[in-house]
Amino acid sequence: MQKWFMLTLVGNDRPGIVAHVSNALYEGGCHLGEASMMRLGGNFTIMLMVKFAGNSKALYDLLSSVTDSLSLNVHVDQIDAQLHEHRVPDVLISVHGADRAGIVAQVTRALAEAGLDILDLESDVGGSAQAPIYIMQIEGVARAGLPALRAALEAATRDTGIFAQIEPIETLVG
């Protein structure tokens, strides 16, 4: 019986990581599910759902020659896949301000307390080394509505130099 695993790989970015990893998984009899793969600050990271007949160690071993040759760090967890249960975001929140510790914690805590379920969060550091700017985009589901999120975000960013904007996402389904 095949089980689902969450496979996480991280290493220095270089051409061919996705090709080598996906080929090893294919040749090992794996079925791939949802994935997120991206470059973050000179590193490449993969989060990938993998259906496999063996256990965590066997999946780790299946990839070891590829991950060793590419100097990738690997983590494997057995998971409950919950495929085809996609949640559609209804709000987009953009945040930016002078980079400093605590922006993500401050903003996400206020939004969580106001009923936001975060579905996706991406961030980047722009500006220059002398004047870095932290930029964050959050997609989520506003369980308590936009007014609650707006009020929480306004209170959390007041007099902080952090600027935020909330927009509803209109999704056509059908």
Side-chain angles (χ1 to χ4, degrees):
M1 177 178 172
Q2 292 193 323
K3 299 174 285 283
W4 282 98
F5 297 88
M6 182 63 71
L7 179 62
T8 307
L9 302 104
V10 179
N12 289 331
D13 188 24
R14 63 177 61 171
I17 293 174
V18 174
H20 289 294
V21 169
S22 62
N23 189 63
L25 292 168
Y26 170 72
E27 288 181 356
C30 297
H31 177 83
L32 307 184
E34 297 174 13
S36 178
M37 304 181 194
M38 67 182 68
R39 186 177 193 280
L40 296 170
N43 296 285
F44 194 77
T45 181
I46 298 173
M47 287 181 25
L48 175 64
M49 295 172 62
V50 176
K51 192 185 223 182
F52 180 63
N55 59 25
S56 296
K57 182 173 180 348
L59 181 56
Y60 183 90
D61 291 344
L62 173 75
L63 289 168
S64 64
S65 66
V66 169
T67 57
D68 289 349
S69 71
L70 295 172
S71 299
L72 298 174
N73 296 304
V74 183
H75 185 84
V76 179
D77 291 298
Q78 188 172 342
I79 61 168
D80 178 15
Q82 298 182 8
L83 293 171
H84 311 290
E85 295 181 21
H86 296 282
R87 296 181 63 200
V88 178
D90 61 6
V91 63
L92 172 65
I93 301 165
S94 302
V95 178
H96 68 276
D99 189 22
R100 63 168 174 75
I103 293 174
V104 176
Q106 180 180 350
V107 170
T108 58
R109 180 181 55 243
L111 293 171
E113 290 171 357
L116 180 69
D117 287 342
I118 295 176
L119 302 179
D120 189 37
L121 185 152
E122 290 188 21
S123 66
D124 199 356
V125 179
S128 65
Q130 298 76 28
I133 299 169
Y134 195 78
I135 304 159
M136 179 169 50
Q137 294 230 15
I138 303 169
E139 290 184 1
V141 176
R143 289 181 291 118
L146 287 177
L149 293 179
R150 283 193 175 101
L153 196 55
E154 183 179 314
T157 60
R158 187 177 298 122
D159 301 324
T160 63
I162 300 170
F163 303 94
Q165 179 178 336
I166 301 176
E167 298 292 329
I169 296 175
E170 301 297 330
T171 304
L172 293 175
V173 179

PDB file of all heavy atoms in Angstrom, residues 16-47:
ATOM      1  N   GLY A  16      19.279  21.987 -12.780  1.00  0.00           N
ATOM      2  CA  GLY A  16      19.056  20.551 -12.801  1.00  0.00           C
ATOM      3  C   GLY A  16      18.525  19.926 -11.530  1.00  0.00           C
ATOM      4  O   GLY A  16      18.256  18.726 -11.516  1.00  0.00           O
ATOM      5  N   ILE A  17      18.342  20.701 -10.469  1.00  0.00           N
ATOM      6  CA  ILE A  17      17.865  20.109  -9.215  1.00  0.00           C
ATOM      7  C   ILE A  17      16.516  19.427  -9.416  1.00  0.00           C
ATOM      8  O   ILE A  17      16.338  18.255  -9.068  1.00  0.00           O
ATOM      9  CB  ILE A  17      17.792  21.155  -8.086  1.00  0.00           C
ATOM     10  CG1 ILE A  17      19.192  21.621  -7.700  1.00  0.00           C
ATOM     11  CG2 ILE A  17      17.063  20.584  -6.875  1.00  0.00           C
ATOM     12  CD1 ILE A  17      19.215  22.763  -6.688  1.00  0.00           C
ATOM     13  N   VAL A  18      15.551  20.142  -9.981  1.00  0.00           N
ATOM     14  CA  VAL A  18      14.203  19.581 -10.161  1.00  0.00           C
ATOM     15  C   VAL A  18      14.257  18.362 -11.080  1.00  0.00           C
ATOM     16  O   VAL A  18      13.636  17.331 -10.790  1.00  0.00           O
ATOM     17  CB  VAL A  18      13.228  20.648 -10.700  1.00  0.00           C
ATOM     18  CG1 VAL A  18      11.871  20.029 -11.016  1.00  0.00           C
ATOM     19  CG2 VAL A  18      13.086  21.793  -9.708  1.00  0.00           C
ATOM     20  N   ALA A  19      15.007  18.440 -12.149  1.00  0.00           N
ATOM     21  CA  ALA A  19      15.099  17.317 -13.096  1.00  0.00           C
ATOM     22  C   ALA A  19      15.679  16.071 -12.428  1.00  0.00           C
ATOM     23  O   ALA A  19      15.143  14.973 -12.580  1.00  0.00           O
ATOM     24  CB  ALA A  19      15.952  17.726 -14.299  1.00  0.00           C
ATOM     25  N   HIS A  20      16.765  16.238 -11.680  1.00  0.00           N
ATOM     26  CA  HIS A  20      17.397  15.084 -11.041  1.00  0.00           C
ATOM     27  C   HIS A  20      16.518  14.473  -9.951  1.00  0.00           C
ATOM     28  O   HIS A  20      16.391  13.245  -9.867  1.00  0.00           O
ATOM     29  CB  HIS A  20      18.762  15.467 -10.462  1.00  0.00           C
ATOM     30  CG  HIS A  20      19.807  15.727 -11.496  1.00  0.00           C
ATOM     31  ND1 HIS A  20      20.295  14.755 -12.340  1.00  0.00           N
ATOM     32  CD2 HIS A  20      20.443  16.873 -11.837  1.00  0.00           C
ATOM     33  CE1 HIS A  20      21.196  15.276 -13.148  1.00  0.00           C
ATOM     34  NE2 HIS A  20      21.311  16.572 -12.868  1.00  0.00           N
ATOM     35  N   VAL A  21      15.929  15.310  -9.125  1.00  0.00           N
ATOM     36  CA  VAL A  21      15.082  14.808  -8.034  1.00  0.00           C
ATOM     37  C   VAL A  21      13.838  14.132  -8.591  1.00  0.00           C
ATOM     38  O   VAL A  21      13.490  13.014  -8.193  1.00  0.00           O
ATOM     39  CB  VAL A  21      14.710  15.940  -7.047  1.00  0.00           C
ATOM     40  CG1 VAL A  21      13.632  15.493  -6.070  1.00  0.00           C
ATOM     41  CG2 VAL A  21      15.952  16.433  -6.301  1.00  0.00           C
ATOM     42  N   SER A  22      13.153  14.794  -9.531  1.00  0.00           N
ATOM     43  CA  SER A  22      11.922  14.205 -10.068  1.00  0.00           C
ATOM     44  C   SER A  22      12.200  12.918 -10.835  1.00  0.00           C
ATOM     45  O   SER A  22      11.414  11.976 -10.777  1.00  0.00           O
ATOM     46  CB  SER A  22      11.156  15.215 -10.928  1.00  0.00           C
ATOM     47  OG  SER A  22      11.923  15.618 -12.039  1.00  0.00           O
ATOM     48  N   ASN A  23      13.330  12.835 -11.525  1.00  0.00           N
ATOM     49  CA  ASN A  23      13.677  11.610 -12.239  1.00  0.00           C
ATOM     50  C   ASN A  23      13.946  10.464 -11.265  1.00  0.00           C
ATOM     51  O   ASN A  23      13.498   9.333 -11.488  1.00  0.00           O
ATOM     52  CB  ASN A  23      14.886  11.833 -13.152  1.00  0.00           C
ATOM     53  CG  ASN A  23      15.115  10.644 -14.055  1.00  0.00           C
ATOM     54  OD1 ASN A  23      14.268  10.322 -14.880  1.00  0.00           O
ATOM     55  ND2 ASN A  23      16.239   9.979 -13.877  1.00  0.00           N
ATOM     56  N   ALA A  24      14.667  10.736 -10.182  1.00  0.00           N
ATOM     57  CA  ALA A  24      14.931   9.692  -9.185  1.00  0.00           C
ATOM     58  C   ALA A  24      13.628   9.192  -8.568  1.00  0.00           C
ATOM     59  O   ALA A  24      13.452   7.981  -8.361  1.00  0.00           O
ATOM     60  CB  ALA A  24      15.862  10.220  -8.100  1.00  0.00           C
ATOM     61  N   LEU A  25      12.711  10.096  -8.302  1.00  0.00           N
ATOM     62  CA  LEU A  25      11.417   9.708  -7.734  1.00  0.00           C
ATOM     63  C   LEU A  25      10.612   8.879  -8.734  1.00  0.00           C
ATOM     64  O   LEU A  25      10.014   7.860  -8.382  1.00  0.00           O
ATOM     65  CB  LEU A  25      10.639  10.948  -7.286  1.00  0.00           C
ATOM     66  CG  LEU A  25      11.230  11.687  -6.097  1.00  0.00           C
ATOM     67  CD1 LEU A  25      10.559  13.046  -5.915  1.00  0.00           C
ATOM     68  CD2 LEU A  25      11.121  10.867  -4.823  1.00  0.00           C
ATOM     69  N   TYR A  26      10.610   9.299  -9.998  1.00  0.00           N
ATOM     70  CA  TYR A  26       9.899   8.562 -11.042  1.00  0.00           C
ATOM     71  C   TYR A  26      10.461   7.148 -11.182  1.00  0.00           C
ATOM     72  O   TYR A  26       9.716   6.166 -11.196  1.00  0.00           O
ATOM     73  CB  TYR A  26       9.994   9.324 -12.371  1.00  0.00           C
ATOM     74  CG  TYR A  26       9.504   8.535 -13.555  1.00  0.00           C
ATOM     75  CD1 TYR A  26       8.144   8.287 -13.725  1.00  0.00           C
ATOM     76  CD2 TYR A  26      10.393   8.027 -14.489  1.00  0.00           C
ATOM     77  CE1 TYR A  26       7.682   7.549 -14.810  1.00  0.00           C
ATOM     78  CE2 TYR A  26       9.946   7.294 -15.573  1.00  0.00           C
ATOM     79  CZ  TYR A  26       8.588   7.052 -15.732  1.00  0.00           C
ATOM     80  OH  TYR A  26       8.137   6.322 -16.800  1.00  0.00           O
ATOM     81  N   GLU A  27      11.787   7.052 -11.279  1.00  0.00           N
ATOM     82  CA  GLU A  27      12.421   5.742 -11.425  1.00  0.00           C
ATOM     83  C   GLU A  27      12.216   4.868 -10.193  1.00  0.00           C
ATOM     84  O   GLU A  27      12.241   3.643 -10.286  1.00  0.00           O
ATOM     85  CB  GLU A  27      13.907   5.903 -11.736  1.00  0.00           C
ATOM     86  CG  GLU A  27      14.151   6.416 -13.136  1.00  0.00           C
ATOM     87  CD  GLU A  27      15.628   6.569 -13.472  1.00  0.00           C
ATOM     88  OE1 GLU A  27      16.485   6.348 -12.592  1.00  0.00           O
ATOM     89  OE2 GLU A  27      15.903   6.918 -14.634  1.00  0.00           O
ATOM     90  N   GLY A  28      11.980   5.483  -9.034  1.00  0.00           N
ATOM     91  CA  GLY A  28      11.738   4.739  -7.803  1.00  0.00           C
ATOM     92  C   GLY A  28      10.280   4.367  -7.593  1.00  0.00           C
ATOM     93  O   GLY A  28       9.914   3.845  -6.535  1.00  0.00           O
ATOM     94  N   GLY A  29       9.424   4.660  -8.590  1.00  0.00           N
ATOM     95  CA  GLY A  29       8.024   4.266  -8.508  1.00  0.00           C
ATOM     96  C   GLY A  29       7.143   5.224  -7.724  1.00  0.00           C
ATOM     97  O   GLY A  29       6.050   4.851  -7.306  1.00  0.00           O
ATOM     98  N   CYS A  30       7.580   6.436  -7.556  1.00  0.00           N
ATOM     99  CA  CYS A  30       6.805   7.423  -6.793  1.00  0.00           C
ATOM    100  C   CYS A  30       5.814   8.158  -7.685  1.00  0.00           C
ATOM    101  O   CYS A  30       6.029   8.328  -8.883  1.00  0.00           O
ATOM    102  CB  CYS A  30       7.739   8.454  -6.165  1.00  0.00           C
ATOM    103  SG  CYS A  30       8.890   7.761  -4.968  1.00  0.00           S
ATOM    104  N   HIS A  31       4.745   8.606  -7.075  1.00  0.00           N
ATOM    105  CA  HIS A  31       3.754   9.462  -7.714  1.00  0.00           C
ATOM    106  C   HIS A  31       3.853  10.818  -7.026  1.00  0.00           C
ATOM    107  O   HIS A  31       3.850  10.900  -5.797  1.00  0.00           O
ATOM    108  CB  HIS A  31       2.355   8.857  -7.540  1.00  0.00           C
ATOM    109  CG  HIS A  31       1.270   9.701  -8.111  1.00  0.00           C
ATOM    110  ND1 HIS A  31       0.929   9.675  -9.439  1.00  0.00           N
ATOM    111  CD2 HIS A  31       0.461  10.617  -7.525  1.00  0.00           C
ATOM    112  CE1 HIS A  31      -0.057  10.530  -9.642  1.00  0.00           C
ATOM    113  NE2 HIS A  31      -0.349  11.108  -8.504  1.00  0.00           N
ATOM    114  N   LEU A  32       3.936  11.888  -7.823  1.00  0.00           N
ATOM    115  CA  LEU A  32       4.084  13.220  -7.249  1.00  0.00           C
ATOM    116  C   LEU A  32       2.737  13.900  -7.111  1.00  0.00           C
ATOM    117  O   LEU A  32       1.877  13.801  -7.981  1.00  0.00           O
ATOM    118  CB  LEU A  32       5.002  14.076  -8.119  1.00  0.00           C
ATOM    119  CG  LEU A  32       6.367  13.461  -8.444  1.00  0.00           C
ATOM    120  CD1 LEU A  32       7.219  14.452  -9.222  1.00  0.00           C
ATOM    121  CD2 LEU A  32       7.076  13.006  -7.193  1.00  0.00           C
ATOM    122  N   GLY A  33       2.566  14.608  -6.013  1.00  0.00           N
ATOM    123  CA  GLY A  33       1.354  15.383  -5.765  1.00  0.00           C
ATOM    124  C   GLY A  33       1.657  16.864  -5.849  1.00  0.00           C
ATOM    125  O   GLY A  33       2.432  17.304  -6.691  1.00  0.00           O
ATOM    126  N   GLU A  34       1.094  17.642  -4.965  1.00  0.00           N
ATOM    127  CA  GLU A  34       1.290  19.086  -4.961  1.00  0.00           C
ATOM    128  C   GLU A  34       2.733  19.421  -4.609  1.00  0.00           C
ATOM    129  O   GLU A  34       3.398  18.687  -3.884  1.00  0.00           O
ATOM    130  CB  GLU A  34       0.339  19.737  -3.958  1.00  0.00           C
ATOM    131  CG  GLU A  34      -1.115  19.534  -4.314  1.00  0.00           C
ATOM    132  CD  GLU A  34      -2.056  20.057  -3.254  1.00  0.00           C
ATOM    133  OE1 GLU A  34      -1.630  20.790  -2.340  1.00  0.00           O
ATOM    134  OE2 GLU A  34      -3.250  19.734  -3.333  1.00  0.00           O
ATOM    135  N   ALA A  35       3.200  20.562  -5.134  1.00  0.00           N
ATOM    136  CA  ALA A  35       4.582  20.953  -4.915  1.00  0.00           C
ATOM    137  C   ALA A  35       4.722  22.463  -4.834  1.00  0.00           C
ATOM    138  O   ALA A  35       3.940  23.204  -5.420  1.00  0.00           O
ATOM    139  CB  ALA A  35       5.461  20.433  -6.055  1.00  0.00           C
ATOM    140  N   SER A  36       5.740  22.880  -4.126  1.00  0.00           N
ATOM    141  CA  SER A  36       6.172  24.269  -4.118  1.00  0.00           C
ATOM    142  C   SER A  36       7.688  24.230  -4.234  1.00  0.00           C
ATOM    143  O   SER A  36       8.363  23.595  -3.424  1.00  0.00           O
ATOM    144  CB  SER A  36       5.740  24.959  -2.823  1.00  0.00           C
ATOM    145  OG  SER A  36       6.211  26.289  -2.803  1.00  0.00           O
ATOM    146  N   MET A  37       8.195  24.877  -5.269  1.00  0.00           N
ATOM    147  CA  MET A  37       9.640  24.892  -5.498  1.00  0.00           C
ATOM    148  C   MET A  37      10.030  26.321  -5.826  1.00  0.00           C
ATOM    149  O   MET A  37       9.395  26.963  -6.661  1.00  0.00           O
ATOM    150  CB  MET A  37      10.005  23.977  -6.665  1.00  0.00           C
ATOM    151  CG  MET A  37       9.537  22.559  -6.494  1.00  0.00           C
ATOM    152  SD  MET A  37      10.036  21.558  -7.905  1.00  0.00           S
ATOM    153  CE  MET A  37       9.024  20.103  -7.648  1.00  0.00           C
ATOM    154  N   MET A  38      11.076  26.811  -5.145  1.00  0.00           N
ATOM    155  CA  MET A  38      11.474  28.186  -5.407  1.00  0.00           C
ATOM    156  C   MET A  38      12.890  28.461  -4.954  1.00  0.00           C
ATOM    157  O   MET A  38      13.441  27.749  -4.127  1.00  0.00           O
ATOM    158  CB  MET A  38      10.515  29.158  -4.734  1.00  0.00           C
ATOM    159  CG  MET A  38      10.558  29.148  -3.220  1.00  0.00           C
ATOM    160  SD  MET A  38       9.369  30.256  -2.459  1.00  0.00           S
ATOM    161  CE  MET A  38       7.851  29.446  -2.891  1.00  0.00           C
ATOM    162  N   ARG A  39      13.419  29.531  -5.503  1.00  0.00           N
ATOM    163  CA  ARG A  39      14.736  30.022  -5.139  1.00  0.00           C
ATOM    164  C   ARG A  39      14.554  31.056  -4.037  1.00  0.00           C
ATOM    165  O   ARG A  39      13.758  31.978  -4.157  1.00  0.00           O
ATOM    166  CB  ARG A  39      15.391  30.662  -6.364  1.00  0.00           C
ATOM    167  CG  ARG A  39      16.806  31.085  -6.135  1.00  0.00           C
ATOM    168  CD  ARG A  39      17.403  31.637  -7.436  1.00  0.00           C
ATOM    169  NE  ARG A  39      18.828  31.773  -7.335  1.00  0.00           N
ATOM    170  CZ  ARG A  39      19.437  32.795  -6.728  1.00  0.00           C
ATOM    171  NH1 ARG A  39      18.728  33.757  -6.176  1.00  0.00           N
ATOM    172  NH2 ARG A  39      20.751  32.846  -6.675  1.00  0.00           N
ATOM    173  N   LEU A  40      15.310  30.887  -2.957  1.00  0.00           N
ATOM    174  CA  LEU A  40      15.260  31.820  -1.836  1.00  0.00           C
ATOM    175  C   LEU A  40      16.694  32.181  -1.464  1.00  0.00           C
ATOM    176  O   LEU A  40      17.419  31.343  -0.914  1.00  0.00           O
ATOM    177  CB  LEU A  40      14.543  31.205  -0.628  1.00  0.00           C
ATOM    178  CG  LEU A  40      13.068  30.869  -0.789  1.00  0.00           C
ATOM    179  CD1 LEU A  40      12.572  30.059   0.400  1.00  0.00           C
ATOM    180  CD2 LEU A  40      12.262  32.136  -0.938  1.00  0.00           C
ATOM    181  N   GLY A  41      17.097  33.400  -1.772  1.00  0.00           N
ATOM    182  CA  GLY A  41      18.399  33.897  -1.364  1.00  0.00           C
ATOM    183  C   GLY A  41      19.574  33.029  -1.752  1.00  0.00           C
ATOM    184  O   GLY A  41      20.433  32.749  -0.928  1.00  0.00           O
ATOM    185  N   GLY A  42      19.620  32.567  -2.990  1.00  0.00           N
ATOM    186  CA  GLY A  42      20.737  31.751  -3.447  1.00  0.00           C
ATOM    187  C   GLY A  42      20.577  30.266  -3.174  1.00  0.00           C
ATOM    188  O   GLY A  42      21.416  29.459  -3.558  1.00  0.00           O
ATOM    189  N   ASN A  43      19.511  29.897  -2.495  1.00  0.00           N
ATOM    190  CA  ASN A  43      19.212  28.489  -2.216  1.00  0.00           C
ATOM    191  C   ASN A  43      17.985  28.091  -3.014  1.00  0.00           C
ATOM    192  O   ASN A  43      17.155  28.917  -3.364  1.00  0.00           O
ATOM    193  CB  ASN A  43      18.926  28.287  -0.725  1.00  0.00           C
ATOM    194  CG  ASN A  43      20.142  28.588   0.103  1.00  0.00           C
ATOM    195  OD1 ASN A  43      21.075  27.817   0.151  1.00  0.00           O
ATOM    196  ND2 ASN A  43      20.145  29.750   0.739  1.00  0.00           N
ATOM    197  N   PHE A  44      17.877  26.795  -3.284  1.00  0.00           N
ATOM    198  CA  PHE A  44      16.678  26.278  -3.930  1.00  0.00           C
ATOM    199  C   PHE A  44      16.005  25.357  -2.934  1.00  0.00           C
ATOM    200  O   PHE A  44      16.659  24.540  -2.276  1.00  0.00           O
ATOM    201  CB  PHE A  44      17.022  25.521  -5.216  1.00  0.00           C
ATOM    202  CG  PHE A  44      15.818  25.274  -6.077  1.00  0.00           C
ATOM    203  CD1 PHE A  44      15.289  26.305  -6.837  1.00  0.00           C
ATOM    204  CD2 PHE A  44      15.207  24.038  -6.113  1.00  0.00           C
ATOM    205  CE1 PHE A  44      14.154  26.101  -7.624  1.00  0.00           C
ATOM    206  CE2 PHE A  44      14.090  23.816  -6.903  1.00  0.00           C
ATOM    207  CZ  PHE A  44      13.567  24.856  -7.654  1.00  0.00           C
ATOM    208  N   THR A  45      14.703  25.501  -2.801  1.00  0.00           N
ATOM    209  CA  THR A  45      13.962  24.674  -1.855  1.00  0.00           C
ATOM    210  C   THR A  45      12.787  24.002  -2.560  1.00  0.00           C
ATOM    211  O   THR A  45      12.148  24.596  -3.423  1.00  0.00           O
ATOM    212  CB  THR A  45      13.487  25.503  -0.640  1.00  0.00           C
ATOM    213  OG1 THR A  45      12.791  24.656   0.265  1.00  0.00           O
ATOM    214  CG2 THR A  45      12.582  26.642  -1.053  1.00  0.00           C
ATOM    215  N   ILE A  46      12.559  22.775  -2.182  1.00  0.00           N
ATOM    216  CA  ILE A  46      11.456  21.987  -2.730  1.00  0.00           C
ATOM    217  C   ILE A  46      10.628  21.460  -1.562  1.00  0.00           C
ATOM    218  O   ILE A  46      11.175  20.892  -0.622  1.00  0.00           O
ATOM    219  CB  ILE A  46      11.965  20.789  -3.556  1.00  0.00           C
ATOM    220  CG1 ILE A  46      12.775  21.259  -4.755  1.00  0.00           C
ATOM    221  CG2 ILE A  46      10.805  19.883  -3.980  1.00  0.00           C
ATOM    222  CD1 ILE A  46      13.452  20.128  -5.530  1.00  0.00           C
ATOM    223  N   MET A  47       9.326  21.659  -1.627  1.00  0.00           N
ATOM    224  CA  MET A  47       8.367  20.971  -0.754  1.00  0.00           C
ATOM    225  C   MET A  47       7.453  20.215  -1.707  1.00  0.00           C
ATOM    226  O   MET A  47       6.828  20.817  -2.576  1.00  0.00           O
ATOM    227  CB  MET A  47       7.577  21.949   0.106  1.00  0.00           C
ATOM    228  CG  MET A  47       8.399  22.532   1.209  1.00  0.00           C
ATOM    229  SD  MET A  47       7.549  23.688   2.321  1.00  0.00           S
ATOM    230  CE  MET A  47       5.848  23.259   2.220  1.00  0.00           C
TER     231      MET A  47
END
